[in-house]
Amino acid sequence: MSSKLHKIGLIDTHAGGDVSRIIFSGLKNLPGKTVREKMEYLQKYGDGLRKTLLFEPYGVPEMSIDLIVPSSQSEAVAGYIIMEVMGYPIYSGSNTLCTATAVIEKGLVAKKEGIISFKLESPAGLVDIEANIVNGIVESVTCQGLPSYIHSYKQIIEVANLGEVTYSIAYSGGFYVLVEASQFGFKLNKSEEEELSKTAYMIIEAIRKKESFKHYSLGDVGPVPFLHFMGDLTKKEEGFYSSPSTTYVHPRVICRSTTGTGTSARLAYLYYENKIKQGDKLETISLRDTKFIGVFESVEKQKNYNVINNKISGKSYIIGKQDIYINCDDSMLNHLDTLNELTNVLE
């Protein structure tokens, strides 16, 4: 690859504190008919992009990258590929909130006062978006959560330095380990962030060695990447509940938000325990006091699982618009072993 500067144009956003960098320009067209196929190409042949933008000197592992690509569906305004420290999730609520806001800001969807509706194509398929515009600002976004279910309930595993750990497994766009925060004495406040990360790391490592999980229709979607600490549930009013919550992404990342998929997983857990009914809402509250709201819409039987349909609401903020320049002669990139992979995707 030549030493010329390669320019990538993006909009920086955050939802609940989780920063997502939405890429609109500077990359080649990726092969593949669907967004899922384009994601698989990027994962296999262009992973250097993810590694470069999520690590020094360009970023940090706590961030996410969303690459805008053409959609294979005529009703969608755009497609998007999600990149995180753990790899390529096929869906993410916070990334979808951020991408929807950036798409509006970029003009791919006309910005007008009131509620506007449109579709995006994620690697998981079409996503319905509803955004509320007030005085030219995106005040809130509601998006679909993926159909979510409890794969296994209240299993026990022995974890070194922790002892017996009780956990459940949910699927909500990725497999989640769900644990009650109280069994470790956590109150889910910001001062516990480092210990939460260490605890989650040990649990995920132990479960990965013990077993793997398969989705009822997707099959093997990789090793379990997420853990969700569940705080006490409070009833705010009839049909509306609230809970402190913390989502961990392997390895060693505590999300700033509660995450959309984490909220969907908790909804599935509460339904499994008979604690919510159709139409009920759940507010999840992060270590930084940011909030997402999930709504349990309906349930359907898929194979042996009761799968809930849900939607997630939150707010995403535009925090910057910029060009990033990548020079492949930069010695800081050498340790990432990314240069050959970058060749496949940079213009």
Side-chain angles (χ1 to χ4, degrees), residues 32-68:
K33 293 181 180 179
T34 66
V35 171
R36 181 68 173 268
E37 289 177 357
K38 293 177 187 295
M39 180 201 78
E40 289 168 349
Y41 175 87
L42 186 63
Q43 185 175 23
K44 187 172 182 179
Y45 299 108
D47 193 44
L49 178 70
R50 179 185 68 88
K51 295 173 184 173
T52 297
L53 295 182
L54 288 182
F55 295 95
E56 293 182 330
Y58 294 98
V60 293
E62 289 81 4
M63 297 166 57
S64 297
I65 310 296
D66 296 284
L67 171 60
I68 300 299

Side-chain angles (χ1 to χ4, degrees), residues 232-289:
D232 294 337
L233 190 69
T234 301
K235 186 174 182 179
K236 299 185 70 170
E237 59 185 64
E238 189 60 39
F240 188 15
Y241 300 88
S242 181
S243 176
S245 307
T246 301
T247 292
Y248 164 89
V249 183
H250 201 61
R252 298 185 176 90
V253 168
I254 293 289
C255 294
R256 274 50 182 164
S257 77
T258 54
T259 72
T261 48
T263 303
S264 297
R266 184 70 182 279
L267 284 170
Y269 185 82
L270 291 173
Y271 173 74
Y272 191 93
E273 292 194 321
N274 248 353
K275 291 181 178 177
I276 57 171
K277 61 185 184 300
Q278 188 172 334
D280 283 356
K281 297 186 294 183
L282 170 68
E283 174 188 69
T284 52
I285 306 171
S286 76
L287 299 180
R288 288 163 174 77
D289 202 37

